[in-house]
């Protein structure tokens, strides 16, 4: 009888070993060569964006093909544009005035944890930022998305081989068990964790340095000065993008009482359906498991699918199911994260009350992640930006598109840090710059006197500076490092 866990552990060890060998060779390539390889992979992934999107939807049942195509292009074309001019290999900076040389040092081998909600795009994104920074990466896929992730990795490996680089720079576990994934996380040098809270916690508990993300429970405030039509259009575009599978999508609308009627009317006109009475209760019953966890059967599904699952009838053009909630917390399902076509709805007297409610919602499972606001009042926008416990505040833009860098100038990313308040080691959109260390070569400035009882004198400074040509030696090291890189 074959023990699947033992096979998975053995595979993890073998993949990491092969990755280390490949990475030691890859690390000798210069910036120009690495950049050429990264561009070739980005181009190859972009060409297969449609096919990979189709495979992801077929295998997981989550989201929409057209939106997953957009995700794949963000992870390839737009990401490449953002990283192509980054210095990530060899000498990063030579500050002759301070006598400090900074050299990029790759982390080594990275473990890539990939969620089923964004499988192919996350695989492309993590591969490119790892390679750009001189690292190898081994993926542990979500079991329900292993085929499309495997196909994405095969595409990248074939491209690496065609470029004359070792395919083992990017690999994937074919037997992903909990035990095997745990062994992988222990053997690598860094973990890039994107997934559910359990997996992210496991990454941080592995004893290996990790870059993980927290859950998103994004409030969106439509303030009384907002362009209501524009705000609702963007919220619906964001929340229905890939059927809400991105953790930065809006989870609860907050609006002022004074414009409540206008906001409701606009939502209804654009395909929002307000659940009431028995319909609301039936949807709540299919939203969660008995323990309060999100029901996977509704993740990444559209509004009509959820309505049918709940046994209710809604208009044929319904795009989003809306549930007004009287409170925040475990007993109020619409106050939690919902990676699907469901959104909560709250009204407040003014922005001060909206501020307090936003914080409550964030602490109900999304602290540190993101918040969106639609407003023309710069004072209110500023107040929200100063007070909210989030890493990204998106202003007058779709939260989903804004957070990942589609509609804003934030870095294109599918790993969105939540900062210390959200249990993450970074608050950034993760980039190649998070995946290498910096070695600093620092010269004596000649400004100290080192005798046992000698004070610091300007004469000492002068004599030391004249005794050695630090600039010349620094330049020699720079030249040597250039040869190595």
């Amino acid at each position: 009888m074959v023990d699947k866990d033992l096979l998975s552990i053995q595979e993890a060890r073998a993949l990491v070993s092969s990755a280390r060998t490949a990475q030691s060779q890859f690390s000798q390539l210069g910036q120009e060569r690495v950049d050429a390889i990264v561009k070739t992979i980005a181009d190859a992934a972009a060409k297969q964006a449609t096919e990979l999107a189709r495979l992801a939807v077929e295998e997981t049942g989550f989201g929409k093909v057209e939106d997953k195509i957009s995700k794949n292009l963000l992870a390839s074309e737009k990401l490449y544009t953002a990283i192509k001019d980054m210095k990530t290999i060899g000498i990063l900076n030579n500050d002759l005035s301070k006598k400090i040389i900074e050299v990029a040092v790759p982390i080594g081998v990275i473990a890539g944890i990939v969620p089923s909600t964004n499988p192919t795009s996350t695989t492309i994104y993590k591969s490119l930022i790892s390679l750009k920074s001189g690292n190898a990466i081994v993926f542990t896929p979500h079991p329900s998305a292993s085929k499309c992730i495997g196909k994405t990795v095969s595409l990248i490996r074939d491209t690496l081989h065609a470029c004359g680089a070792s395919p083992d720079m990017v690999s994937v576990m074919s037997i992903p068990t909990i035990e095997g994934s745990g062994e992988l996380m222990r053997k690598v040098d860094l973990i890039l964790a994107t997934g559910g809270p359990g997996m992210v916690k496991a990454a941080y508990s592995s004893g290996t340095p990790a870059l993980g993300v927290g859950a998103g429970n994004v409030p969106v405030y439509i303030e009384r000065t907002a362009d209501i039509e524009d705000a609702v259009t963007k919220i619906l575009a964001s929340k229905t993008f890939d059927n809400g599978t991105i953790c930065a999508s809006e989870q609860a609308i907050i609006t002022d009482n004074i414009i409540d009627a206008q906001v409701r009317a606009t939502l209804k006109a654009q395909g929002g359906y307000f659940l009431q009475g028995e319909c609301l209760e039936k949807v709540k019953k299919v939203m969660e498991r008995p323990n309060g966890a999100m029901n996977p059967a509704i993740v990444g599904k559209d509004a009509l699918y959820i309505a049918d699952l709940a046994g209710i009838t809604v208009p044929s053009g319904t795009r989003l199911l809306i549930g007004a909630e009287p409170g925040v917390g475990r007993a109020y399902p619409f106050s939690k994260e919902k990676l699907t076509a469901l959104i909560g709805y709250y009204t407040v007297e003014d922005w001060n009350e909206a501020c307090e409610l936003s914080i409550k919602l964030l602490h109900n499972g999304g602290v540190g992640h993101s918040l969106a606001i639609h407003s023309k009042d710069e004072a209110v926008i500023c107040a929200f930006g100063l007070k909210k416990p989030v890493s990204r505040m998106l202003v007058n833009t779709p939260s989903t598109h804004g957070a990942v860098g589609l509609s804003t100038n934030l870095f294109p990313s599918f790993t969105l840090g939540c900062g210390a308040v959200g249990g993450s080691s970074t608050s950034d959109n993760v980039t190649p710059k998070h995946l290498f260390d910096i070695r600093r070569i620092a010269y004596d400035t000649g400004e100290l006197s080192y005798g046992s009882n000698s004070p610091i004198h300007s004469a000492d400074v002068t004599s030391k500076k004249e005794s050695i040509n630090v600039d010349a030696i620094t330049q020699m090291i720079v030249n040597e490092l250039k040869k190595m890189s």
Side-chain angles (χ1 to χ4, degrees), residues 417-455:
C418 297
V421 70
S424 296
S425 55
T426 181
S427 58
D428 295 340
N429 285 15
V430 174
T431 81
K433 292 184 178 180
H434 293 88
L435 304 185
F436 59 79
D437 293 326
I438 298 176
R439 178 183 299 128
R440 293 174 175 86
I441 304 169
Y443 285 85
D444 188 282
T445 62
E447 295 178 357
L448 294 179
S449 177
Y450 302 106
S452 59
N453 296 310
S454 299

Side-chain angles (χ1 to χ4, degrees), residues 126-142:
K126 289 186 176 180
S127 295
L128 290 182
I129 65 171
S130 296
L131 292 168
K132 172 71 177 180
S133 48
N135 299 292
I137 186 166
V138 180
F139 288 102
T140 173
H142 192 285

Side-chain angles (χ1 to χ4, degrees), residues 294-426:
M294 192 176 356
N295 179 5
I298 68 167
V299 173
K301 304 298 184 182
D302 61 36
L304 297 178
Y305 179 95
I306 297 170
D308 183 64
L309 184 67
I312 66 172
T313 301
V314 298
S316 60
T318 299
R319 301 168 61 198
L320 188 61
L321 300 178
I322 307 166
E325 280 286 22
V328 176
R330 182 179 177 84
Y332 306 99
F334 276 90
S335 72
K336 305 175 186 177
E337 183 182 45
K338 305 161 290 297
L339 300 178
T340 191
L342 296 172
I343 198 165
Y345 190 86
Y346 296 85
T347 58
V348 294
E349 285 300 320
D350 56 26
W351 71 266
N352 287 292
E353 188 178 344
C355 184
E356 294 175 5
L357 179 56
S358 294
I359 292 173
K360 288 181 182 178
L361 287 164
L362 288 165
H363 281 285
N364 191 42
V367 67
H369 203 291
S370 306
L371 175 143
I373 184 172
H374 293 268
S375 173
K376 296 178 183 177
D377 190 327
E378 291 296 335
V380 172
I381 294 170
C382 182
F384 265 66
L386 291 173
K387 295 182 179 180
K388 297 301 168 294
V390 293
S391 300
R392 283 155 291 276
M393 193 179 95
L394 296 315
V395 181
N396 296 326
T397 192
S399 181
T400 296
H401 303 68
V404 301
L406 273 169
S407 64
T408 67
N409 286 319
L410 293 178
F411 187 87
S413 177
F414 287 104
T415 299
L416 310 178
C418 297
V421 70
S424 296
S425 55
T426 181

Side-chain angles (χ1 to χ4, degrees), residues 137-185:
I137 186 166
V138 180
F139 288 102
T140 173
H142 192 285
S144 67
S146 59
K147 291 181 181 178
C148 62
I149 293 170
K151 180 69 174 179
T152 307
V153 170
S154 293
L155 167 68
I156 295 170
R157 286 174 62 86
D158 288 346
T159 309
L160 281 165
H161 179 72
C163 290
S166 172
D168 291 333
M169 286 297 293
V170 180
S171 56
V172 61
M173 295 181 66
S174 62
I175 314 171
T177 68
I178 293 175
E179 288 74 11
S181 296
E183 183 68 6
L184 174 67
M185 289 190 285

Side-chain angles (χ1 to χ4, degrees), residues 2-80:
V2 177
D3 189 314
K4 190 175 181 181
D5 291 334
L6 288 178
L7 287 176
S8 184
I9 291 170
Q10 184 178 22
E11 181 184 36
R13 291 172 178 170
L15 290 176
V16 171
S17 177
S18 297
R20 288 203 184 284
T21 300
Q23 193 274 331
S24 66
Q25 298 169 352
F26 193 86
S27 64
Q28 302 304 310
L29 303 179
Q31 185 77 69
E32 185 176 350
R33 182 84 175 99
V34 168
D35 288 349
I37 292 171
V38 169
K39 184 180 189 308
T40 304
I41 293 172
D43 290 345
K47 288 179 182 178
Q48 293 297 314
T50 299
E51 176 63 14
L52 294 176
R54 184 185 63 78
L55 289 173
V57 173
E58 284 182 0
E59 184 178 8
T60 67
F62 298 156
K64 308 173 187 176
V65 171
E66 60 270 27
D67 291 339
K68 289 197 182 295
I69 293 171
S70 296
K71 288 181 178 181
N72 289 340
L73 292 176
L74 173 70
S76 53
E77 290 181 341
K78 186 159 187 177
L79 175 64
Y80 174 74

